[in-house]
Amino acid sequence: MEGKQDFTIETLGNPTVQSPIKMSKIQGDKSADYVTDDRFVRLSSFIMPGKQPSVERSQVLERAGPREQIYFTPAHVHAGIVTCGGLCPGMNDVIRAIVRCLWTNYGVNRISGIRFGYRGFLPESQFGVKQLDPDIVDDIHKIGGTFLGSARGGGKEVEKIVDAMQKLNLNMMFVIGGDGTQRGTLDIAEEISRRKLKIAMIGIPKTVDNDFALIDRSFGFSTAVAKAVEVVSAAHVEAVSAINGIGLVKVMGRDSGFIAAHTALASHEVNFVLIPEVPFNLEGYNGFLTHLEDRIKKRRHAVIVVAEGAMQDQLLIEKKFDAGGNVKMADVGVYLRSRILKHFEDKGIEINLKYIDPSYAIRSATANPDDSIYCERLGNAAVHAAMAGRTKVVIGLVNNRFVHLPVKSVITHRNKVNPESSLWRDTLDATHQPRMMVNRFGQD
């Protein structure tokens, strides 16, 4: 994949303005350095000695960070920030970081928060904008959700959005959202280009599912795993304290099982992990319910973690979509609960099942220290990119380096757990569940 993508970053023009941030140009002088444009980051970290090919500029990633020369004159800048889609731990941390970096480092004192996602741009919404400064955002990282409000949809009203941006005289727009939101970011940026406007569009990737393409991890993921581990601990206590106790926990993960797998690895108390990437049968000699029954007979308790996107190919009869363009999923947790209860009732085996769905409690949580640090650095990197005139960019972490990624490159697909990867192998080792729970010859 690395050789098939073009990672060239678009710019609004030649950066000729001296940055107000005072840094060093000399490495090794014990002083923080500017980022230069002559060193890059490779997407792949794998190397075959003696067979490493030459690398073209378009195939490497531009480093994020403050440049000595910037594009915008800080005193002329009007910046906007918008949060879109579902809630996620850390959204307020990113808002705070962007505002403080703009104001303190660059002297930008016109910063507007757009209310309730892309819909806040639409004149019929009449939400207005919220003026932001360091004092207003000082403590917002201590509360969950988003200080600006969020909503799904509205991103397809591209012309209306750009009209609103022109009326506000915005020079740069920071968009905090998932892959659907960033698709909207690219469409808006293309319309800006068609109108020959000088507005930088910068995306900050937001999804607790951790399924953005190319990026090591998205903010909110660490907090989601930490909160899920707490729930699993409660489910385990319930299970071991009851006769044939079963704890069933549903976690987020529409298309990927990263939260489920990492939760199992972190908790050490999960016996089955069910994710969208690994198919399984419920019934049959090698089906999940048979293995769950064996576990109950041997150990008298079990804890199951299921990602919300598991079994959707079997449960979804008709595809319906929400305002953000996401498929409305069937509730796999409720379905599994009913099938487990029926299986053991038919077998005449007493069980005590507790089902927990902590999704909204996790989404609305404040960021943990790991995510809070990550959000601070993402927000700072986003500001540096915008001030340098970069556009159509998403800030991400690749090989533990903050880089600029073209928006188009991170919305091509979603990351998924590779069933042949070390992550899934270690998950199987942690749970001791069968490698495959599929009956041969298509038996149900």
Side-chain angles (χ1 to χ4, degrees):
M1 180 180 293
E2 182 180 2
K4 296 180 181 179
Q5 298 198 54
D6 185 348
F7 296 121
T8 304
I9 299 299
E10 291 192 33
T11 62
L12 298 175
N14 189 30
T16 58
V17 178
Q18 176 64 41
S19 173
I21 301 176
K22 303 302 180 184
M23 289 189 172
S24 172
K25 304 178 188 178
I26 306 170
Q27 293 187 356
D29 63 353
K30 309 300 182 182
S31 179
D33 298 329
Y34 292 113
V35 172
T36 59
D37 292 329
D38 58 352
R39 298 176 65 193
F40 302 89
V41 175
R42 293 199 60 169
L43 177 63
S44 175
S45 58
F46 293 102
I47 296 176
M48 295 182 67
K51 297 183 179 180
Q52 201 67 10
S54 60
V55 180
E56 298 178 8
R57 164 64 188 88
S58 62
Q59 303 306 311
V60 290
L61 306 173
E62 187 176 271
R63 293 186 301 157
R67 266 67 180 174
E68 183 180 7
Q69 298 293 121
I70 58 177
Y71 178 76
F72 289 104
T73 301
H76 299 167
V77 169
H78 182 192
I81 306 172
V82 66
T83 53
C84 304
L87 298 184
C88 175
M91 296 174 82
N92 283 334
D93 298 69
V94 176
I95 296 170
R96 182 178 185 271
I98 292 171
V99 171
R100 287 166 60 88
C101 188
L102 282 168
W103 193 286
T104 305
N105 292 343
Y106 287 100
V108 173
N109 55 24
R110 287 193 300 161
I111 309 170
S112 296
I114 310 302
R115 306 296 306 282
F116 300 107
Y118 283 135
R119 292 170 61 182
F121 284 108
L122 307 181
E124 58 267 28
S125 297
Q126 297 186 352
F127 292 132
V129 299
K130 191 173 187 67
Q131 298 308 310
L132 304 176
D133 62 45
D135 289 337
I136 290 174
V137 303
D138 192 42
D139 290 324
I140 64 173
H141 62 297
K142 299 176 183 178
I143 58 175
T146 164
F147 173 70
L148 297 176
S150 189
R152 299 189 187 277
K156 294 182 179 180
E157 301 281 355
V158 173
E159 293 188 1
K160 287 185 178 181
I161 291 172
V162 179
D163 286 345
M165 294 175 73
Q166 283 190 267
K167 290 176 182 177
L168 288 168
N169 292 318
L170 290 174
N171 306 107
M172 56 185 64
M173 193 71 222
F174 300 97
V175 183
I176 304 167
D179 64 339
T181 296
Q182 302 307 338
R183 286 188 178 91
T185 298
L186 183 57
D187 291 340
I188 294 164
E190 296 291 0
E191 177 64 17
I192 288 170
S193 296
R194 280 191 288 271
R195 298 189 190 188
K196 295 181 169 45
L197 302 174
K198 298 297 185 179
I199 305 174
M201 291 293 292
I202 310 294
I204 297 96
K206 174 223 66 161
T207 168
V208 291
D209 293 353
N210 198 39
D211 59 358
F212 257 104
L214 307 181
I215 297 173
D216 290 353
R217 69 180 174 96
S218 52
F219 77 82
F221 176 68
S222 176
T223 305
V225 172
K227 293 296 182 182
V229 168
E230 293 176 5
V231 174
V232 164
S233 178
H236 179 256
V237 170
E238 289 283 352
V240 298
S241 301
I243 298 172
N244 293 335
I246 298 175
L248 173 61
V249 178
K250 185 180 79 172
V251 297
M252 291 163 289
R254 295 177 58 85
D255 298 288
S256 60
F258 288 107
I259 292 178
H262 281 257
T263 298
L265 288 168
S267 70
H268 309 292
E269 293 172 337
V270 179
N271 309 115
F272 296 93
V273 176
L274 309 176
I275 62 174
E277 298 91 334
V278 180
F280 62 93
N281 293 130
L282 277 181
E283 305 286 353
Y285 72 94
N286 194 35
F288 163 69
L289 291 174
T290 296
H291 290 290
L292 176 60
E293 182 182 332
D294 289 343
R295 163 77 191 184
I296 290 298
K297 289 178 177 177
K298 292 176 182 177
R299 301 285 293 166
R300 303 298 181 186
H301 70 275
V303 175
I304 307 154
V305 171
V306 58
E308 63 180 318
M311 296 188 70
Q312 295 302 314
D313 58 333
Q314 303 173 52
L315 299 180
L316 277 183
I317 300 173
E318 178 185 0
K319 282 190 177 181
K320 296 182 180 180
F321 300 86
D322 62 21
N326 297 309
V327 175
K328 292 184 177 180
M329 293 189 166
D331 194 326
V332 66
V334 171
Y335 178 75
L336 272 179
R337 178 179 62 182
S338 65
R339 290 295 299 267
I340 292 170
L341 289 171
K342 184 177 186 305
H343 174 85
F344 284 96
E345 181 182 355
D346 291 346
K347 292 279 187 173
I349 300 173
E350 177 186 0
I351 63 168
N352 286 275
L353 189 151
K354 297 293 188 298
Y355 170 53
I356 308 173
D357 178 0
S359 300
Y360 291 103
I362 290 174
R363 290 184 354 151
S364 62
T366 55
N368 68 6
D370 187 34
D371 266 328
S372 189
I373 293 168
Y374 189 33
C375 290
E376 177 79 12
R377 301 187 71 187
L378 283 172
N380 291 340
V383 170
H384 298 316
M387 293 301 298
R390 270 49 173 184
T391 191
K392 301 177 187 177
V393 163
V394 163
I395 306 300
L397 194 69
V398 175
N399 292 330
N400 206 34
R401 304 289 184 187
F402 287 91
V403 297
H404 298 156
L405 289 156
V407 176
K408 61 184 179 183
S409 69
V410 300
I411 60 175
T412 54
H413 66 281
R414 290 181 174 177
N415 274 347
K416 296 179 182 293
V417 174
N418 181 356
E420 298 181 12
S421 67
S422 61
L423 171 62
W424 187 243
R425 181 185 66 225
D426 292 342
T427 303
L428 295 178
D429 287 344
T431 61
H432 300 298
Q433 71 188 65
R435 183 179 61 85
M436 295 291 290
M437 291 183 286
V438 177
N439 303 314
R440 292 183 179 179
F441 311 116
Q443 298 177 20
D444 186 19

